Amino acid sequence: MKLKVENVSKQFKDKLAVSNVSFDLTEGVYGFLGANGAGKTTLMRMLVTLLKPSSGRILFNGKDIDVLDEKYRDVIGYLPQYIGLYKNFTAEKYLMYIASLKGIEKEKAMKKVDELLEVVNLSEHRKRKVGKYSGGMKQRIGIAQALLNDPKVLIVDEPTAGLDPKERIRFRNLLSSISKDRIVLLSTHIVSDIEFIAKEIIVIKAGQLIHKDHPESLLDKIKDKVWTVTVDENEVPKFQAAFKVGNIVRQNDGVGLRIIAEDRPDARAIQAAPNLEDLYLYYFDQEEMIK
Amino acid sequence: MKALLKFELYKIFSQKSVLIVFALILLVLSTLTLYSTFSSSFYYGKQEMISAYKQVEGKLSKEKYERQEQEFESRTKKSSSKEDLAYGSALIETMSEYEDIEYYDNLISRIEQDLTIATGFNYESLLLQKLMLEQIDLNETYFHKGPEKMMDYVSAFGYMITGILILIGLSSIFSNEDVTGMDQLILSSKNGRNKLVSAKIITAVFFVISIIGVQLLYNWGIYSFLYGNDGWLVPLQKSSSFMLSPYSLNLFEYFSIQMILHTLFSIGFAIFVLLISNLCKNNYHSIIISSVVFVAPMMLSFFNLIQMSNVVQVAKFIQIDTIIQYSYTYLMKVDVLFNRFKVFNFFESPVLGSIAIPTVFVLTTLFFTWLLYRTYERKEVI
Ligand SMILES: Nc1ncnc2c1ncn2[C@@H]1O[C@H](COP(=O)(O)OP(=O)(O)O)[C@@H](O)[C@H]1O
Ligand SMILES: [Mg+2]
């Protein structure tokens, strides 16, 4: 199974949101990393046929998804960044409606709805109107609807936004448990979401693909650029002005800073093993970073 | 597809606003109809009217009327009961029917004269008109107030009620998916494009048929209560709004054709509303644009009626009358197709308006349907 993005661009009126992006996806989880406005949603919408590329094409197993049409939409599952709901539908009815859109026959749909409500832990709220759901519950029902048709290609746009830490962990485990035999593409600007489950990480900045690699290889690229240093509290602003500063921790003997820099930022600094957060910081500006 | 259709039906029919508006309209209309009928000095009671007519019904003849009139006048000199009043008005009405016969006879002989000098298309259409008029037989009279009122319902109220309910019920059918964000899930799902459009169109057709069906029952109920159900076989021309009609139809035939065409035009309007809804991202835009299309012809003809001079001049300039005639609003009344002789020149042969206009309408609606599929198929979530 292969999903191939080939020289894809998307131009909105006066904005080039995605610029000549190419990559291939096969079975496994892919982390799609980029700051707000980088073009993640736009690219994902093209992958689920909600937008047509201005140029380039997207191939599923060698065939243009525009030509495959229904056949392609039959194998995808999509969770949008902001999920759509009918407020006065109960969870059950909502899922049955999506199932009818996906062309799943009634008996099978009912079984699948039961099963997925269980998976996302909403069984006891199945008769409640989704308009009354909390943010986290909406996100969970969103995940359930994406999985109704056992999609071969699962595309989830910032699925963990609005989830509390416990729910995030649950979600991460769920994704990695279903990722076998599927292509899963998950966008986020939260590094820890994908740190341990992504087979590859795709980094996108201002509509352009800058890296696509295994997490280890990506980390390898910045292995001598991460430093830690313990400084006096009043030195902190100076460092923040001069370098990309990540974690700041108060310690007994001062303040510990994690710094991304090409060269040793200070005589006291020592090299540290890079993690994805450092990677993110390396590519994106600090204010965009959310831990 | 069946499940999808069921959900679309549910989404449309569970809109409480539509049910409430529908119920309110019918309630207000009933109150007004009943009040104005019972307070009218021309309503003598259903039974009274039917039995009064019984005395004048049958073959029309001048002598018979003169005799009846004299007898009536001498009788009512002393007193006039409700029955007498009903009888008097039945007499007057039948006498005017007698004048109608003269009108038709005159018309036919005038056409015969014109035929001697006419050529080509003109000749063909006069000939057609003559042949049609000769089919009409107005020589008998029967009480037909009930069917007549039921027929008038569509062109007086029905078209507007159907139109308003279509606007309220269907104008957000597509735009609401954008508003709720459901479009993202719908358009990326297997059946969310072509099949969904089909489901929505079927839903719209079902909706239109239901609201027309309910009105049909209502219409039949209230007017058979007030005037009874007799007279369906009377010629169309006996109804005052069709005095000049060249069509040889009885009231039942016309009523059936009217209901079918009203349904057809209403479905056409519904498809138009769907198309607009699909092009709008916002429920308000959708309902406003469709409402303007529906209401503008009424406004324009109102201005025309009250002779607002500058409006009239502009209206003349852009041939507003023609546009109004072929608007959804006026076509949904149906009567305009049948109340006078109208032909179109189709390669030098005359085609009746009642055939040509619905045909063109169907073709236009098919085009809009195609456009709806086409635009929805390529719709992007922006
Ligand atoms: N419909 C649109 N019209 C114009 N510009 C858009 C539209 N959608 C997105 N953009 C722009 O395209 C860029 C990418 O947006 P998006 O794909 O939503 O980024 P992300 O999901 O990574 O935050 C942004 O600059 C955004 O403002
Ligand atoms: Mg986004």
Side-chain angles (χ1 to χ4, degrees):
Chain A
M1 197 163 51
K2 187 155 122 184
L3 190 59
K4 188 179 180 64
V5 174
E6 214 177 75
N7 306 110
V8 163
S9 301
K10 183 69 188 182
Q11 176 84 45
F12 293 115
K13 267 177 210 113
D14 51 354
K15 169 91 194 169
L16 186 62
V18 172
S19 163
N20 198 27
V21 167
S22 302
F23 57 82
D24 292 353
L25 305 178
T26 55
E27 286 88 344
V29 178
Y30 292 82
F32 201 9
L33 203 56
N36 277 325
K40 302 183 295 294
T41 298
T42 305
L43 191 51
M44 289 182 133
R45 283 181 167 177
M46 289 192 278
L47 286 171
V48 297
T49 74
L50 292 180
L51 289 173
K52 290 203 198 315
S54 310
S55 65
R57 38 181 210 159
I58 300 168
L59 306 172
F60 181 66
N61 291 338
K63 294 195 188 99
D64 197 320
I65 61 169
D66 202 37
V67 176
L68 286 173
D69 198 44
E70 276 189 12
K71 285 200 207 89
Y72 175 67
R73 291 201 305 276
D74 195 23
V75 300
I76 59 177
Y78 174 50
L79 174 62
Q81 185 168 1
Y82 304 102
I83 190 173
L85 295 167
Y86 296 131
K87 290 199 185 73
N88 58 343
F89 273 35
T90 62
E92 206 172 63
K93 185 179 270 175
Y94 175 77
L95 290 178
M96 285 305 285
Y97 175 60
I98 304 282
S100 74
L101 283 167
K102 296 190 178 206
I104 304 167
E105 59 175 275
K106 198 172 168 198
E107 302 288 305
K108 208 171 143 201
M110 273 164 29
K111 260 215 207 103
K112 199 74 202 170
V113 167
D114 287 345
E115 185 190 313
L116 284 170
L117 280 171
E118 202 59 51
V119 169
V120 298
N121 213 9
L122 286 174
S123 287
E124 55 192 300
H125 304 290
R126 61 187 296 157
K127 301 275 186 207
R128 253 175 87 186
K129 298 202 162 155
V130 289
K132 298 243 157 50
Y133 271 19
S134 69
M137 289 162 89
K138 283 180 184 163
Q139 207 65 359
R140 268 142 61 195
I141 191 119
I143 292 150
Q145 67 75 28
L147 293 173
L148 274 169
N149 57 332
D150 268 322
K152 291 210 180 76
V153 178
L154 179 65
I155 292 179
V156 283
D157 197 354
E158 310 221 6
T160 55
L163 297 190
D164 63 36
K166 217 170 102 192
E167 286 174 326
R168 255 154 72 180
I169 293 166
R170 255 183 80 99
F171 178 70
R172 219 179 294 157
N173 294 340
L174 171 67
L175 267 197
S176 72
S177 72
I178 60 162
S179 65
K180 198 172 165 306
D181 305 326
R182 290 182 220 265
I183 296 172
V184 179
L185 179 60
L186 178 154
S187 81
T188 186
H189 56 256
I190 304 173
V191 176
S192 55
D193 281 347
I194 45 173
E195 189 144 24
F196 304 108
I197 59 168
K199 171 169 105 173
E200 283 192 332
I201 300 213
I202 299 167
V203 184
I204 174 172
K205 184 173 185 175
Q208 284 175 318
L209 183 100
I210 35 182
H211 280 295
K212 172 177 178 285
D213 219 331
H214 305 285
E216 307 84 61
S217 329
L218 282 176
L219 295 182
D220 214 42
K221 290 199 171 73
I222 56 161
K223 68 174 190 298
D224 49 6
K225 299 187 171 87
V226 182
W227 312 84
T228 54
V229 61
T230 304
V231 299
D232 196 60
E233 185 155 358
N234 52 31
E235 286 179 286
V236 173
K238 188 186 87 191
F239 277 91
Q240 278 180 318
F243 304 102
K244 285 187 173 177
V245 177
N247 252 355
I248 301 176
V249 256
R250 198 166 293 278
Q251 296 163 339
N252 294 338
D253 53 347
V255 178
L257 300 181
R258 202 171 169 92
I259 294 173
I260 317 295
E262 299 288 333
D263 304 310
R264 187 182 295 268
D266 187 271
R268 291 163 290 177
I270 47 170
Q271 280 204 331
N275 60 31
L276 277 180
E277 229 160 70
D278 301 324
L279 179 81
Y280 189 89
L281 201 56
Y282 180 71
Y283 287 117
F284 302 108
D285 291 334
Q286 185 159 10
E287 59 269 24
E288 292 168 350
M289 175 148 150
I290 298 167
K291 279 175 224 140
Chain B
M1 179 75 190
K2 218 176 87 195
L4 197 53
L5 181 60
K6 252 171 59 186
F7 274 110
E8 290 306 321
L9 288 168
Y10 172 80
K11 284 184 335 197
I12 291 303
F13 282 88
S14 63
Q15 301 176 95
K16 288 202 187 69
S17 55
V18 181
L19 299 176
I20 293 170
V21 170
F22 200 7
L24 270 178
I25 289 178
L26 291 188
L27 194 72
V28 171
L29 186 60
S30 310
T31 315
L32 289 178
T33 306
L34 294 177
Y35 177 76
S36 69
T37 305
F38 286 125
S39 63
S40 154
S41 49
F42 298 106
Y43 187 76
Y44 311 105
K46 176 162 105 183
Q47 283 317 320
E48 287 79 359
M49 290 162 92
I50 291 174
S51 50
Y53 251 88
K54 280 272 174 291
Q55 304 171 52
V56 295
E57 266 173 10
K59 197 133 189 80
L60 293 173
S61 94
K62 210 161 196 162
E63 302 92 75
K64 187 167 139 199
Y65 289 123
E66 279 162 2
R67 190 162 19 88
Q68 286 188 331
E69 203 183 1
Q70 279 168 13
E71 185 232 346
F72 177 72
E73 272 172 7
S74 58
R75 177 149 60 91
T76 51
K77 261 182 199 134
K78 293 158 253 165
S79 73
S80 52
S81 65
K82 215 169 166 192
E83 282 77 14
D84 288 332
L85 288 174
Y87 177 63
S89 104
L91 260 183
I92 291 168
E93 277 176 35
T94 20
M95 267 154 64
S96 76
E97 286 185 31
Y98 197 77
E99 282 156 21
D100 293 345
I101 299 181
E102 280 169 8
Y103 169 82
Y104 275 87
D105 290 343
N106 288 341
L107 187 57
I108 292 176
S109 40
R110 213 167 56 228
I111 291 172
E112 276 165 349
Q113 267 173 29
D114 291 349
L115 271 172
T116 57
I117 47 167
T119 55
F121 170 72
N122 235 341
Y123 178 85
E124 298 290 333
S125 50
L126 283 168
L127 190 64
L128 178 65
Q129 191 178 6
K130 177 175 166 260
L131 289 174
M132 289 174 78
L133 291 173
E134 280 169 355
Q135 301 282 312
I136 298 169
D137 179 7
L138 301 177
N139 280 310
E140 291 182 9
T141 186
Y142 294 96
F143 183 65
H144 58 272
K145 270 261 156 28
E148 185 177 355
K149 291 280 182 189
M150 291 178 210
M151 259 167 47
D152 286 347
Y153 170 85
V154 167
S155 48
F157 312 108
Y159 78 102
M160 215 190 301
I161 296 175
T162 307
I164 288 170
L165 291 175
I166 288 175
L167 288 170
I168 300 175
L170 299 178
S171 66
S172 59
I173 191 168
F174 281 104
S175 52
N176 198 46
E177 311 294 11
D178 299 16
V179 172
T180 56
M182 281 298 284
D183 57 340
Q184 304 175 89
L185 300 179
I186 292 170
L187 291 169
S188 60
S189 69
K190 182 184 170 200
N191 293 341
R193 290 197 184 245
N194 272 336
K195 291 220 173 68
L196 187 80
V197 177
S198 305
K200 284 193 190 287
I201 289 176
I202 295 171
T203 302
V205 169
F206 210 85
F207 178 78
V208 169
I209 290 176
S210 329
I211 55 179
I212 292 177
V214 170
Q215 288 181 84
L216 183 64
L217 285 178
Y218 166 81
N219 180 17
W220 182 82
I222 192 157
Y223 288 112
S224 54
F225 166 69
L226 288 174
Y227 297 100
N229 220 342
D230 296 336
W232 283 108
L233 301 181
V234 159
L236 181 59
Q237 287 70 17
K238 300 282 181 189
S239 154
S240 51
S241 15
F242 293 89
M243 242 163 62
L244 308 181
S245 169
Y247 289 89
S248 152
L249 296 167
N250 65 36
L251 295 186
F252 183 74
E253 287 164 344
Y254 173 73
F255 187 74
S256 312
I257 293 172
Q258 182 197 42
M259 290 318 293
I260 291 167
L261 286 180
H262 175 62
T263 309
L264 177 82
F265 293 137
S266 302
I267 288 173
F269 179 57
I271 301 269
F272 175 79
V273 169
L274 258 57
L275 181 63
I276 296 297
S277 181
N278 182 38
L279 299 176
C280 289
K281 294 233 151 282
N282 170 314
N283 294 341
Y284 298 108
H285 292 172
S286 175
I287 196 165
I288 287 169
I289 293 173
S290 296
S291 302
V292 166
V293 169
F294 189 73
V295 176
M298 293 197 256
M299 300 297 274
L300 288 171
S301 63
F302 176 70
F303 287 141
N304 229 345
L305 205 68
I306 59 172
Q307 294 287 312
M308 269 176 66
S309 58
N310 45 352
V311 176
V312 170
Q313 264 165 22
V314 176
K316 286 228 174 73
F317 180 67
I318 56 173
Q319 299 237 313
I320 219 74
D321 280 346
T322 323
I323 298 175
I324 289 173
Q325 256 181 57
Y326 301 124
S327 63
Y328 285 111
T329 324
Y330 277 69
L331 288 177
M332 278 162 72
K333 293 178 168 202
V334 186
D335 59 352
V336 287
L337 295 182
F338 289 91
N339 57 12
R340 64 203 170 89
F341 183 74
K342 182 166 181 65
V343 284
F344 290 91
N345 187 340
F346 187 72
F347 296 111
E348 289 307 306
S349 58
V351 178
L352 286 170
S354 59
I355 292 167
I357 293 169
T359 307
V360 172
F361 184 90
V362 167
L363 293 178
T364 312
T365 298
L366 286 178
F367 171 71
F368 283 160
T369 309
W370 174 81
L371 204 60
L372 176 59
Y373 274 102
R374 178 91 176 167
T375 48
Y376 193 74
E377 207 170 36
R378 313 181 153 212
K379 190 166 179 169
E380 293 192 79
V381 172
I382 301 276

